[in-house]
Amino acid sequence: MAATTAPALPVTVTVTASASRTVAPAPADPENVALAVLQKQQAQDLDSTTFDGRWVLQVASKFDGVTDALQVTRSGSHTFHNVDILSEYRSLRTRLEASGITVHLLRSNDFGTTTVSHPERIWVTLADPGGLYSADDAMSECRSLFPELDDRHLRNACVGRRLLPPGVS
């Protein structure tokens, strides 16, 4: 009997090269981050605010892209964006809460009647010092809280508002 040899079987070798590389995530857009923080704060404050008709102080009202000739952002611009609105809210909250005043961040369509064309876009910072019974009381409190402002700037920065349910004037 003759010897036969088996044909050689092909051998497959898989080689993988692994390179270790750290990829940093893309930085978050500051405007989107600020918007998310504003929305979260508004949701919290909306849940904890009682709309009972009491007088409060509206100490800021801005929407993304608004220009206010009487106020400046931290960067020196008169045009406010989400990061500026958040910064203004935080600054006012820190200042006013240090005096024992409750501060809320809402949208203008969250309460009362509004006369602006896009109320859902306007962020409103409200200060509730308590003990306000009229628009005159509110203006007096505004003068007390912001003595550094002249009348023109004060009327632009602080005004009395009533905390009423949406659509009620």
Side-chain angles (χ1 to χ4, degrees), residues 36-46 89 93 103 105:
V37 172
L38 289 166
Q39 290 170 333
K40 182 177 179 183
Q41 186 65 52
Q42 180 233 2
Q44 290 173 350
D45 288 350
L46 192 55
Y89 163 74
R93 184 181 72 190
V103 177
L105 179 70

Side-chain angles (χ1 to χ4, degrees), residues 6-154:
L9 297 174
V11 176
T12 305
V13 176
T14 305
V15 177
T16 57
S18 67
S20 177
R21 178 175 105 174
T22 302
V23 178
D29 175 23
E31 285 297 310
N32 289 336
V33 171
L35 178 60
V37 172
L38 289 166
Q39 290 170 333
K40 182 177 179 183
Q41 186 65 52
Q42 180 233 2
Q44 290 173 350
D45 288 350
L46 192 55
D47 284 344
S48 66
T49 302
T50 304
F51 300 96
D52 56 5
R54 73 183 175 280
W55 283 91
V56 296
L57 307 174
Q58 180 174 307
V59 294
S61 59
K62 306 269 188 315
F63 60 87
D64 184 42
V66 70
T67 298
D68 187 335
L70 297 179
Q71 295 182 1
V72 293
T73 66
R74 284 185 158 186
S75 67
S77 172
H78 292 283
T79 301
F80 288 76
H81 294 287
N82 293 324
V83 294
D84 307 306
I85 295 166
L86 179 59
S87 176
E88 179 183 46
Y89 163 74
R90 286 178 168 167
S91 175
L92 286 165
R93 184 181 72 190
T94 298
R95 175 180 177 174
L96 297 171
E97 286 184 348
S99 300
I101 296 172
T102 302
V103 177
H104 306 276
L105 179 70
L106 301 175
R107 290 277 179 119
S108 58
N109 61 331
D110 288 336
F111 67 101
T113 301
T114 184
T115 58
V116 294
S117 59
H118 298 290
E120 71 282 353
R121 294 178 39 204
I122 299 177
W123 295 103
V124 180
T125 302
L126 300 171
D128 186 0
L132 303 177
Y133 302 102
S134 68
D136 288 340
D137 286 350
M139 254 346 270
S140 179
E141 186 69 15
C142 286
R143 282 187 198 89
S144 173
L145 290 173
F146 302 100
E148 72 278 10
L149 299 179
D150 62 31
D151 281 344
R152 181 174 172 227
H153 286 86
L154 184 63

